[in-house]
């Protein structure tokens, strides 16, 4: 049977890895590339291109070339993130059913998970070519900050691509797993993930293979792409001054400048100065093409990039504040994401945390490697024990194609399952709830998140925790917490409620996610309506609400009319932004 793979489905790039026979390695495509651009392009000849070929078409066919969908996956039409993306998008975003988002390309409309499915499908194909077998199972990673809708959308994308998702794993947890951190000792880890389109800082506490998210903070519109845009603007201004060609008049030239800007940026991670030659940015009288050459130094790039790096550090400050810990509390800082290969980023992170960040493993690959290790553990395959080949990060800024695959993580220790503590007693209800908590709430013991143990050699235990509190909204607009933030998943919580007014025939269970005490401060995940209740006096009718958060972080909500035995679980409809 083919091994299960680990897939890091990134905003900019996707990476697929496998852990087999003691070796964890990134799987390369037929041209030897380790990174699969998360880009899909609809060619005029009818082909649907995915990956590098598609990425090349960002320049010549920006309207029909879709990228960075992860930023919008699982979000709602009209939410600030979507509005923002619409303003800068080079392709058309349209409203789909139930306020979902679709892309309109060449007269067709596609839901965002379908775009991601095309990328995952290509990753699956790369894995199958590399392994010579059909791949059917995968662990897929997502940012720790992803909510249930975003996780569901990711799962749907993988299913559409024909994969059984063994687990949706938090990206920082995967990175910690790849480094083998905290597996023997207890350690606090900061994972600084600076990719192409997003930035996340996650603070983890890892001990005895139990991974707790202490805090996670991020910006889904902050990444290397922003640096590229800023550099492209600088080039565009210089070009206008030197040649009279205004890049903004032609979407193709805008895309060309961005590609040139990225090329310069990547080069400048290894050299002090670099140049690009832009062909046919415009046409002179007589139809002669105008070419333009531009040179940039590393120090000029650093000046342009500084505001963006400052913003990443502000996010770090925010996460530290959330965790109420000082930088000194963190034993390791791991660098993840292609943009962390910039030497300036590494210097600034070192300055912020007061320690040299870890970048021994390629930050582009480390998350996929952790996912592959998890996939091997979940399928009970032999765990990687001996580092067979461990290419370290070559030099800061090596081009993606230089980055060879194939390294093994630190040996994973064997530990006994740790019981998950029982949940605390329910908090007192605030105000008059939709359904008053009974005070006799039934609390079920949490299900310990123990990974399947291979018969001979026990696999490590690794527990993720939910990063945000899950609650129901009460009549007074407050929240009644059901699953607290940082609860180990999977977990199940049940609460009993009674009707709030005489003759009430319908209850609405509105599920919110977040830390605000007032419901409106949180994201609404959806609503469940239990109608047709027997009219009774307030307090006479009982409804059991069950929240089941599975190992992938997907929330299943059920409401049961205890007397009639009727239950609803399928009517969840999303009412607000993700
Ligand atoms: P990711 O989202 O992790 O795949 O990271 C992609 C981002 O990393 C893009 O903005 C790339 O331009 C950037 N990147 C990749 N390699 C380098 C490099 N050597 N130096 C600077 N940025 C890089």
């Amino acid at each position: 049977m083919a091994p299960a793979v680990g897939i890091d489905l990134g905003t900019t790039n996707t990476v697929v890895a496998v852990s087999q026979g003691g070796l964890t390695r990134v799987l390369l495509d037929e041209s030897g590339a380790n990174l699969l651009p998360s880009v899909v392009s609809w060619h005029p000849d009818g082909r649907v291109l995915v990956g590098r070929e598609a990425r090349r078409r960002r320049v010549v066919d920006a309207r029909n070339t879709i990228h960075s969908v992860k930023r919008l996956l699982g979000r709602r039409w009209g939410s600030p993130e979507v509005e923002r993306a619409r303003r800068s998008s080079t392709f058309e975003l349209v409203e789909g059913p139930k306020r979902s988002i679709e892309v309109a390309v060449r007269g067709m409309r596609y839901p965002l998970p379908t775009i991601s499915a095309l990328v995952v499908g290509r990753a699956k194909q790369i894995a199958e070519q590399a392994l010579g077998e059909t791949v059917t199972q995968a662990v897929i990673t997502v940012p720790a900050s992803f909510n249930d809708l975003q996780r569901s959308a990711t799962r749907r994308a993988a299913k559409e691509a024909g994969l059984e998702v063994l687990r949706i794993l938090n990206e920082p947890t995967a990175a910690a797993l790849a480094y083998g951190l905290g597996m023997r000792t207890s350690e606090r880890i900061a994972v600084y993930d600076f990719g192409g389109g997003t930035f996340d800082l996650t603070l983890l506490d890892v001990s005895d293979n139990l991974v707790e998210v202490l805090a996670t903070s991020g910006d889904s519109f902050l990444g290397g792409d922003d640096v590229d845009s800023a550099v492209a603007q600088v080039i565009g201004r210089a070009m206008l001054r030197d040649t009279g060609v205004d890049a903004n008049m032609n979407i193709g030239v805008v895309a060309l400048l961005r590609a040139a800007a990225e090329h310069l940026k990547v080069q400048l991670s290894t050299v002090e100065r670099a140049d690009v030659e832009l062909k046919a940015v415009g046409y002179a009288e007589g139809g002669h093409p105008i070419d333009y050459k531009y040179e940039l130094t590393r120090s000029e790039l650093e000046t342009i990039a500084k505001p963006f790096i400052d913003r990443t550090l502000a996010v770090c400050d925010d996460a530290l504040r959330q965790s109420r810990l000082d930088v000194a509390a963190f034993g390791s800082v791991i660098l993840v994401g292609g943009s962390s290969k910039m030497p300036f980023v590494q210097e600034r992170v070192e300055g912020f945390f007061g320690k040299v960040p870890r970048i021994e493993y390629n930050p582009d690959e480390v998350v996929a490697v952790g996912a592959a290790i998890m996939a091997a553990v979940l399928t009970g395959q032999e765990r990687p024990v001996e580092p067979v080949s461990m290419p370290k990060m070559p030099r800061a800024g090596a081009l993606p194609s230089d980055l060879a695959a194939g390294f093994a993580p630190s040996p994973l220790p064997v530990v006994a399952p740790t019981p998950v503590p029982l949940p605390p007693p329910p908090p007192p209800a605030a105000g008059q709830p939709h359904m008053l908590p009974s005070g006799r709430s039934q609390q079920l013991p949490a299900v310990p998140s123990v990974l399947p143990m291979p018969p001979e050699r026990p696999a490590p235990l690794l527990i993720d925790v939910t990063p945000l509190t899950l609650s129901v909204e009460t009549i007074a607009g407050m929240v009644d917490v059901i699953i607290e933030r940082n609860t180990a998943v999977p977990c199940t919580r049940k609460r009993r409620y009674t009707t709030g007014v005489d003759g009430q025939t319908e209850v609405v269970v509105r599920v919110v996610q977040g830390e605000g005490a007032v419901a409106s401060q949180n994201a609404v995940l959806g609503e469940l309506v239990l109608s047709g209740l027997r009219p009774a006096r307030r307090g006479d009718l009982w409804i059991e609400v069950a929240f089941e958060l599975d190992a992938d972080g997907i929330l299943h909500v059920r409401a049961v009319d205890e007397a009639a035995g009727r239950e609803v679980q399928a009517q969840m409809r999303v009412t607000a932004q993700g």
Side-chain angles (χ1 to χ4, degrees), residues 81-419:
E81 292 82 1
V82 176
E83 286 309 303
R84 190 168 169 183
R86 283 180 69 201
R87 282 198 293 276
S88 60
S89 182
T90 49
F91 49 89
E92 196 184 350
L93 294 165
V94 291
E95 183 173 3
K98 296 185 185 165
R99 294 182 59 211
S100 65
I101 304 148
E102 296 184 341
V103 289
V105 196
R106 295 198 186 282
M108 300 289 287
R109 295 164 67 122
Y110 302 93
L112 295 190
T114 298
I115 309 292
S116 296
L118 289 165
V119 176
V120 174
R122 173 69 181 128
K124 177 177 184 289
Q125 187 189 39
I126 290 171
E128 289 174 345
Q129 281 164 359
L131 297 168
E133 292 177 275
T134 304
V135 172
T136 56
Q137 296 178 312
V139 167
I140 314 255
T141 57
V142 294
S145 58
F146 256 27
N147 65 25
D148 301 334
L149 298 174
Q150 293 167 305
R151 284 165 197 259
S152 296
T154 306
R155 175 177 268 275
R156 178 180 153 194
K159 269 191 187 160
E160 262 186 54
L163 286 172
E164 179 198 343
V165 180
L166 295 174
R167 182 165 292 193
I168 300 282
L169 182 68
N170 284 339
E171 288 161 9
T173 301
L177 193 54
Y179 272 93
L181 286 176
M183 300 301 167
R184 288 169 184 211
T185 54
S186 165
E187 187 170 4
R188 291 201 188 101
I189 301 164
V191 182
Y192 177 100
D193 184 350
F194 195 17
T198 56
F199 173 72
D200 288 295
L201 192 276
T202 306
L203 302 174
L204 301 173
D205 189 318
V206 190
S207 58
D208 292 336
N209 293 339
L210 198 133
V211 179
E212 184 186 349
V213 180
L214 297 171
T216 181
S217 194
D219 187 332
S220 46
F221 287 89
L222 177 58
D225 293 355
D226 297 295
V227 177
D228 300 346
S229 296
V231 173
Q233 278 176 21
V234 170
I235 304 174
R237 280 198 293 274
M239 191 171 81
L240 181 63
R241 185 192 61 218
D242 298 342
T243 67
V245 173
D246 184 353
N248 295 319
M249 303 307 285
N250 183 336
I251 193 171
V253 177
V254 170
L256 183 66
L257 288 192
R258 286 177 61 106
E262 184 182 10
H263 177 76
L264 285 173
K265 177 190 73 177
V266 171
Q267 294 296 313
L268 290 171
S269 287
T270 42
V271 295
E272 289 295 330
R273 62 178 59 233
D275 57 38
V276 278
E277 175 118 33
L278 303 166
K279 296 280 183 198
V281 288
Y283 291 89
E285 274 176 36
H288 297 297
I290 300 172
D291 298 342
Y292 184 63
K293 187 169 175 179
Y294 188 81
E295 186 185 87
L296 190 71
T297 65
R298 185 186 284 180
S299 107
E300 285 165 345
L301 172 68
E302 290 178 357
T303 306
I304 299 169
K306 183 174 179 300
F308 303 105
I309 299 168
D310 287 347
R311 277 171 59 194
T312 70
L313 299 180
V315 172
C316 295
D317 264 331
D318 178 59
L320 282 164
R321 255 196 313 275
Q322 274 181 42
S323 73
R324 298 203 180 94
L325 288 167
D326 184 72
V327 282
F330 293 85
S332 301
V333 182
I334 301 177
L335 294 182
V336 176
S339 298
S340 60
K341 287 191 261 178
M342 289 176 76
F344 188 45
V345 169
Q346 294 164 27
E347 280 164 30
R348 297 290 307 279
V349 172
E350 180 175 346
F352 183 90
F353 283 96
K355 56 178 59 68
V356 180
R358 299 194 62 170
I359 192 168
E360 298 100 295
Y361 298 153
N362 183 352
D364 284 325
E365 298 179 339
V366 68
V367 168
V369 165
I373 294 168
M374 186 55 141
V377 168
L378 288 171
T379 48
Q381 292 170 34
E382 197 178 349
R383 287 170 296 115
V385 282
E386 289 300 320
V388 178
S389 79
M390 296 177 76
K392 303 288 180 183
M393 252 302 282
R395 295 158 277 120
L399 291 170
S401 55
D402 299 339
L403 300 167
F407 61 88
S410 313
L412 296 169
V414 173
V415 295
T418 308

Side-chain angles (χ1 to χ4, degrees), residues 418-438:
T418 308
V420 177
L422 288 179
Q432 183 85 334
H434 273 164
M435 306 145 292
L436 296 171
S438 69

